[in-house]
Amino acid sequence: MRFLIATILIGISLTSWAGDLSAVKTDSIYKAFTPEEKVNHIVWLQVDDDQDLGGLDAQDLRKYGGVYLIRPFQPFEEYIFNRGFIPALSVQLDENLNPSPGDLENLPTLNTLSSIRDENLLHQYFGFLKVISKSFGISHLVLPLLKDTVSAHGRLIAKMEAYDPDYFISPSRLEFDLIRKKKDFKSLFEGSDFWVLKGTELSKAEKAIRKHAEHANFERVENTIKSSILIKYSSHDQLVKRKLPNKLAVEISRASIVPLQRQPGILPLSNDTLCLVTDDPAGFMAEMLGRYTYLITSPSGIRQSNAPVVIDNQYFPQNLNEFEGRAIIYLGGFAEGMKYGDRIDAALFTSVENELYSYLLPQLLFGSADATGVMPMAVPELASYSNEPITGKRILGYAPPEILGLTKSSQEEIRSIVQEAIETGSTPGCQIAVAIDGSIVLEEGYGYLTYDSLIRADKNTIYDLASVTKVMGTLLAVMKLYEDNLIDLDTDLAAYLPQYAGSNKSDITIRQILSHNAGLVSYVPFWKRALGGADMMETFYYETEEDEINDKRSYGMKPTPALRDSLKNWIVSSPVLDYDSIPQYRYSDIGFMILHQVVEAITREPLEQYLTTKFYSKLSLSRLGFNPREKGVNLFEVAPTEYDYYFRDEQVWGQVHDRNAAVFGGVAGHAGLFSNSHDLLILLQMIAQNGEYGGEQFLKPSTIHYFNDQYFPGNRRALGWDKKGDKVSNAAENASFASFGHTGFTGTLVWVDPEFDLVFVFLSNRIYPDANNYKLIQNDIRTRVQDVVYEAILSKWIN
C-alpha cells in the first residue's frame, strides 16, 4: 500500500509535464542535465515479485529512468505501475513472450512464432506487441535470454530485437552489478545501455553516482538518455483494443503449421475419398474435412477402403500396421504426434492447441493455402522427413463462419432480411455465398424457386445472372485479350469491326465502351424488330421430327442466322446520345453487345467457346454457362424468371430472360450466363487472388489492377467493373473504395473487396413472375445483407 500511494503522488506531480516533447526541447533538457542526472536517467529500479523497492521514497523515484519488472505484467498491476504514476516501466518477457498474461489471451508462443518463415508476418506481430505493450504504459520489453542463440528460438529473438532495438531490449544491454569505483564508471556504458539496481542497493549506488558520475562515457548512451526524457515527460495514453486481431491470429496460426513428408508429393491431397481415424466422427475436424472430400469414419469402412488415412490429435490408434500400403497422415499437436515416431508418411504439426487449427489443418491438407512452417526444434526421430514448404493449389477452402466473424446472430440477421424479402414478395428465394480470406464461410439457399413454395432453393440452384454476364463473361475475355496484346483499349472500334466504319460509333474506343462512357444509349429493344420479321423467327418450333408428329412444341427462340446478322446490323445503326464534344457516363447494354462481336472478331471463335477454353473448363465450373437446358441441366434446378407476355408468350424458365440476348440465341455479351453461387465464388476468388487459382495463372495481377481503375472524371465505373458510388447504394456502406463488382437485372450481385479479403455473391429471381417488381431494389435487400457481412468482419476479423 505504501508503494501504491507513493506512485500515485508521483503521477500527480508529473501531470503538468504530460504531452509530446519536440526534439529541440529534449536536446535542451539533456544539455541542462548534470552528469549525475544523466546517469540517473538510465538507471532502472528493479521490482521483485513482492514489489519491494527497498523503502525508496516516492520523490526519489522521479530522478530515475524507470522501473524494471523482472516478470510479465499482471492484470491488477496496471493500477500500480501505471504510465501516469512512474516515469517508465520496463518488463522482462518470459519464453511465452506475453507482456501481460492475464490481460492478453491466446498470444502466439515462442514455439509458434519460431515456426514462421514469413518475416513480414512476424513484423506485423512485433508491431502489434509493441503497440499493445505501450497501451499498458510499458516503455521497453526486455527479451528473454536464451542459452542457444542459433536455434530457431534464438533466431526469432534476434529478429524481434532487429525489428525495433529501442523497444525490444536485449538483456545484454543491461548492467546488473553494483558499481562504486571510478574506473568502473568509465566503462559502465561501454557495453550496456541501462543500469539495473535493486532498492536495497540504491543508497550505495547514489553515493557512487554523486562521486564518479562525471567520469561516465555518455557519448554512447546519449540517445538512450534522450529517449528516457521523452518517456518520462510525455503522455503514453493510447486507445487500443488489447486483443490480437483475428485476421493476424489466423495468419500466424496458418503460417506456423509445420509440414513433414517422407517423400515429396504426398501433400497436398487431391483424393475424392479420405479415411479419418478419430473417436469423434461427428466432431469439428470431421465436419471440416467432409467439406473437401467424401469422408469415411467407421472402422469397418476404413478397413475396406484404400484411401489415405488421416489421424487427428484426439485419437491414437495403437496399431498402424492395418493401414500398410496406404498413406498415413497425422494432423495436430507436435508433442502428441511424436507418439508415432517415424511410422507416419506425412504430418501437419501445430505448436499448441488452438480452435483455429480445426479448419486450418484441412485447408493445408487439401492445398487451399501454402504449408510453410519450419520445425522450431531439432528432433532426431524426424531427421529423415522433409520440412520443405509445400505450395498449395490456391483453391477456395472452408472455415466455420463464427471464427471469421459471421456469428450465429449475424447469420440469423441475414435470414431475417431474406425472410422479409420473401414475405414482401421481393423475391421467392435467393442464394448467398461469402468467402473471407480464401475460405467459404456461408453458402446457402433460402426460400423457394416460386411463390407456391414447391421447390426449395438450395446451394445448387442455378440463376439467370443477367448483367453479371458482362463481368463474368465478356470482361474476362477482353482482359485476357488485353494482356495477350491482342486488343488496344484506345483503338477505335472500326479497327476491329470494319462494319462500324462511317457509322455514328466508328471512333469510340474499347476503353469508353468498357467504362460506359461511349455515348451509347442504355438499351434498344431490338427484339421488337424480330417480331416484325415473320420469316426470321418462329412463335414456336419443334426440336425433332418426332416432336412435330406428336405436336410437342417448344416455345422458345431459335433465331436463324439471318436474324442474328440482322441484329448485328441493327446495333451498328442504333442511335447514340447527343453530346457536345465528350461523351458522359451512361450505363449501356449496347456496348457489351458490341464487345461480344469484338472478342469473336479477334479470337475467330464463339465467345462461349473462348471463355470455356480459357476460364470455365480449367476452373471446373460445372454449374456456370450459357443455355443450361441445352447442357442437360434439369428444369427444376433452374430458378424461373418472368412470364414474358410481350415476346415469347410463356414462362421463361431455363432460358435467358433478356430478350435481346434471346435473339442472339442465349449467348450475348451483356446477358445470358447462368450459374450458382459456388461457381461464381471460384471465378471471383481467382480475380481476388490476382488471377491465380488452382496452381494456374489465368490473368496477370497487373491486368486485374489496371481494369479495376477509373479513367473518366465523374464516372464511378472502372473498366467493366462497377465501383462503390457515393450517390448510389450499389454496395455496402463499409465496402472499401478498392472494391468492385456488378449487379444484374434479375436480382443478382457479385462483389470483391481486396481490403477485406471478401468475395460476396447474392443471386435471386426477383423478376419472377413480373419484371416490374422492384421491391428487392427498393428495400435494398442485397446491400443490407452485404452490410451484415461487413459489420461481422469489422467486429471480429479486423479487431
Side-chain angles (χ1 to χ4, degrees):
M1 181 61 70
R2 175 176 176 273
F3 179 63
L4 174 60
I5 295 172
T7 52
I8 293 175
L9 289 173
I10 293 168
I12 295 171
S13 67
L14 290 179
T15 302
S16 60
W17 287 92
D20 294 332
L21 299 178
S22 67
V24 174
K25 191 168 184 180
T26 305
D27 286 340
S28 176
I29 294 173
Y30 175 78
K31 290 175 182 178
F33 274 177
T34 65
E36 180 181 343
E37 289 173 322
K38 290 179 180 179
V39 173
N40 286 341
H41 267 74
I42 44 182
V43 169
W44 286 354
L45 303 176
Q46 180 172 312
V47 177
D48 298 322
D49 284 345
D50 60 358
Q51 302 166 10
D52 180 21
L53 281 174
L56 180 68
D57 183 83
Q59 296 301 318
D60 289 336
L61 190 62
R62 293 178 57 189
K63 298 188 301 184
Y64 300 104
V67 166
Y68 170 55
L69 189 61
I70 63 173
R71 50 161 173 74
F73 197 66
Q74 299 302 322
F76 68 91
E77 290 177 333
E78 186 170 4
Y79 299 100
I80 300 174
F81 302 113
N82 189 278
R83 53 192 169 275
F85 299 159
I86 60 174
L89 171 64
S90 301
V91 170
Q92 175 67 59
L93 291 173
D94 60 18
E95 291 194 7
N96 289 322
L97 301 183
N98 191 336
S100 181
D103 282 287
L104 302 174
E105 298 178 358
N106 297 324
L107 291 191
T109 64
L110 185 58
N111 263 347
T112 300
L113 294 171
S114 298
S115 302
I116 297 174
R117 299 176 193 259
D118 185 349
E119 293 206 11
N120 289 330
L121 182 58
L122 288 174
H123 286 178
Q124 287 183 50
Y125 179 70
F126 297 158
F128 160 79
L129 192 61
K130 177 180 174 181
V131 169
I132 210 74
S133 299
K134 280 192 168 185
S135 76
F136 286 105
I138 299 174
S139 305
H140 302 90
L141 290 176
V142 181
L143 297 168
L145 181 61
L146 303 179
K147 294 179 181 179
D148 185 0
T149 58
V150 297
S151 66
H153 291 174
R155 292 192 297 271
L156 186 279
I157 295 300
K159 290 174 184 177
M160 288 187 74
E161 182 183 10
Y163 173 77
D164 188 346
D166 292 328
Y167 195 79
F168 296 104
I169 305 295
S170 168
S172 64
R173 293 168 61 187
L174 307 184
E175 174 61 60
F176 290 90
D177 292 335
L178 178 59
I179 295 172
R180 290 186 286 181
K181 296 181 180 180
K182 174 181 174 181
K183 64 175 184 178
D184 294 327
F185 264 83
K186 289 183 178 180
S187 59
L188 174 60
F189 301 118
E190 288 180 2
S192 305
D193 292 278
F194 302 97
W195 188 12
V196 180
L197 295 171
K198 295 180 181 179
T200 54
E201 300 172 330
L202 200 55
S203 61
K204 295 178 182 178
E206 284 180 334
K207 292 177 183 178
I209 292 171
R210 286 194 294 270
K211 189 174 182 180
H212 303 299
E214 60 185 333
H215 300 291
N217 178 11
F218 295 110
E219 184 177 345
R220 184 181 176 283
V221 292
E222 180 177 330
N223 289 332
T224 302
I225 298 172
K226 289 180 180 179
S227 175
S228 178
I229 294 170
L230 281 169
I231 292 170
K232 182 173 181 177
Y233 299 125
S234 298
S235 172
H236 294 288
D237 290 332
Q238 298 185 52
L239 295 176
V240 178
K241 288 191 175 181
R242 293 174 180 174
K243 185 179 180 183
L244 182 65
N246 202 58
K247 179 173 183 176
L248 183 56
V250 169
E251 290 176 348
I252 286 172
S253 297
R254 182 186 288 124
S256 69
I257 296 175
V258 179
L260 291 183
Q261 296 186 101
R262 187 179 294 281
Q263 58 189 28
I266 299 175
L267 300 177
L269 296 179
S270 57
N271 304 73
D272 57 9
T273 303
L274 189 67
C275 296
L276 176 64
V277 179
T278 179
D279 59 354
D280 190 8
F284 194 53
M285 178 71 79
E287 178 190 345
M288 296 309 299
L289 287 171
R291 299 191 187 188
Y292 294 86
T293 187
Y294 178 72
L295 197 64
I296 300 173
T297 58
S298 68
S300 60
I302 292 173
R303 284 192 295 271
Q304 294 170 12
S305 173
N306 292 318
V309 175
V310 167
I311 303 170
D312 77 6
N313 64 348
Q314 302 298 321
Y315 185 72
F316 305 100
Q318 299 299 315
N319 182 18
L320 296 182
N321 294 330
E322 61 179 308
F323 308 130
E324 189 174 352
R326 299 157 67 181
I328 302 174
I329 302 147
Y330 171 78
L331 304 180
F334 178 84
E336 295 86 348
M338 290 302 91
K339 295 182 180 181
Y340 298 107
D342 62 354
R343 292 182 293 167
I344 55 177
D345 296 290
L348 291 172
F349 281 131
T350 64
S351 57
V352 294
E353 287 297 317
N354 187 319
E355 64 174 355
L356 295 176
Y357 292 125
S358 294
Y359 81 88
L360 293 177
L361 287 168
Q363 282 187 357
L364 272 61
L365 182 66
F366 287 95
S368 67
D370 298 340
T372 60
V374 61
M375 287 291 289
M377 62 192 73
V379 180
E381 295 88 342
L382 301 176
S384 62
Y385 289 83
S386 169
N387 184 205
E388 292 300 310
I390 298 173
T391 303
K393 295 177 285 188
R394 300 277 283 162
I395 61 175
L396 274 168
Y398 293 89
E402 295 83 3
I403 286 182
L404 296 186
L406 210 58
T407 62
K408 293 190 183 300
S409 62
S410 297
Q411 296 171 58
E412 187 55 43
E413 190 173 355
I414 290 173
R415 291 190 194 95
S416 176
I417 295 171
V418 171
Q419 190 60 35
E420 174 196 328
I422 295 171
E423 290 176 355
T424 58
S426 301
T427 181
C430 66
Q431 199 177 85
I432 300 172
V434 179
I436 302 173
D437 188 40
S439 299
I440 299 173
V441 297
L442 180 65
E443 191 176 24
E444 193 169 338
Y446 304 83
Y448 296 84
L449 303 193
T450 57
Y451 288 107
D452 55 19
S453 302
L454 294 178
I455 306 172
R456 284 192 174 276
D458 60 29
K459 64 182 183 180
N460 292 311
T461 301
I462 293 174
Y463 287 84
D464 184 333
L465 302 185
S467 286
V468 170
T469 302
K470 293 181 173 73
V471 293
M472 296 287 88
T474 309
L475 178 61
L476 291 179
V478 174
M479 291 168 80
K480 187 62 179 173
L481 294 174
Y482 167 80
E483 71 174 33
D484 289 343
N485 295 316
L486 295 175
I487 192 170
D488 184 341
L489 302 189
D490 296 308
T491 295
D492 291 346
L493 178 61
Y496 299 105
L497 299 174
Q499 63 267 37
Y500 280 83
S503 75
N504 56 6
K505 305 175 187 65
S506 60
D507 59 351
I508 65 175
T509 66
I510 305 301
R511 186 186 304 276
Q512 288 175 311
I513 294 174
L514 286 168
S515 300
H516 299 274
N517 221 91
L520 301 173
V521 296
S522 297
Y523 178 78
V524 175
F526 298 115
W527 59 272
K528 289 186 177 180
R529 292 194 186 186
L531 286 174
D535 59 329
M536 292 184 179
M537 66 162 287
E538 305 167 8
T539 56
F540 65 86
Y541 63 93
Y542 299 110
E543 287 279 4
T544 65
E545 186 176 345
E546 183 181 352
D547 287 345
E548 183 175 6
I549 294 172
N550 297 318
D551 197 21
K552 186 178 178 182
R553 306 179 184 189
S554 298
Y555 287 87
M557 277 281 312
K558 278 275 184 169
T560 63
L563 176 57
R564 291 176 183 170
D565 287 342
S566 296
L567 178 54
K568 292 177 182 179
N569 291 330
W570 296 338
I571 294 172
V572 173
S573 60
S574 64
V576 295
L577 299 172
D578 291 329
Y579 53 88
D580 296 332
S581 57
I582 302 175
Q584 299 300 308
Y585 166 69
R586 174 69 70 87
Y587 180 80
S588 173
D589 280 352
I590 310 302
F592 276 76
M593 293 181 192
I594 294 171
L595 288 176
H596 177 184
Q597 299 173 60
V598 170
V599 170
E600 294 190 340
I602 295 173
T603 63
R604 302 193 178 191
E605 62 179 309
L607 173 66
E608 180 179 15
Q609 181 177 318
Y610 182 77
L611 288 169
T612 300
T613 301
K614 297 295 184 182
F615 297 99
Y616 303 160
S617 179
K618 291 181 180 180
L619 289 165
S620 301
L621 305 181
S622 60
R623 307 291 284 180
L624 185 148
F626 297 91
N627 293 317
R629 296 285 287 125
E630 295 180 8
K631 309 291 194 309
V633 175
N634 188 291
L635 181 66
F636 302 111
E637 297 177 72
V638 186
T641 53
E642 182 182 15
Y643 192 99
D644 185 359
Y645 290 98
Y646 305 98
F647 183 36
R648 286 162 284 193
D649 198 25
E650 67 171 340
Q651 171 66 59
V652 179
W653 196 341
Q655 298 170 337
V656 64
H657 166 260
D658 184 274
R659 299 182 182 104
N660 284 335
V663 176
F664 267 121
V667 181
H670 69 292
L673 270 180
F674 287 73
S675 182
N676 69 340
S677 58
H678 183 83
D679 279 11
L680 287 175
L681 275 186
I682 292 174
L683 200 51
L684 291 164
Q685 188 66 32
M686 179 270 289
I687 298 290
Q689 292 176 175
N690 287 320
E692 182 187 359
Y693 195 91
E696 182 164 348
Q697 195 73 44
F698 290 87
L699 293 167
K700 297 175 183 176
S702 58
T703 301
I704 291 171
H705 297 154
Y706 186 78
F707 277 72
N708 188 27
D709 209 349
Q710 296 154 298
Y711 294 92
F712 296 96
N715 183 347
R716 75 170 190 272
R717 299 268 174 174
L719 297 177
W721 297 109
D722 196 6
K723 301 283 288 179
K724 181 181 179 180
D726 54 4
K727 297 179 180 178
V728 293
S729 57
N730 63 331
E733 182 180 353
N734 289 312
S736 75
F737 284 98
S739 65
F740 54 95
H742 213 283
T743 57
F745 182 77
T746 50
T748 56
L749 169 67
V750 297
W751 208 260
V752 176
D753 197 329
E755 291 192 10
F756 288 85
D757 291 323
L758 171 68
V759 176
F760 177 87
V761 177
F762 183 103
L763 303 180
S764 76
N765 55 333
R766 64 118 189 142
I767 60 172
Y768 172 84
D770 182 1
N772 292 316
N773 173 15
Y774 293 97
K775 293 178 183 177
L776 187 90
I777 301 167
Q778 293 164 350
N779 296 330
D780 288 329
I781 298 298
R782 292 173 290 189
T783 50
R784 283 168 59 195
V785 172
Q786 203 180 20
D787 277 327
V788 175
V789 174
Y790 272 98
E791 288 165 7
I793 296 173
L794 286 167
S795 64
K796 173 79 173 181
W797 189 233
I798 301 301
N799 295 324

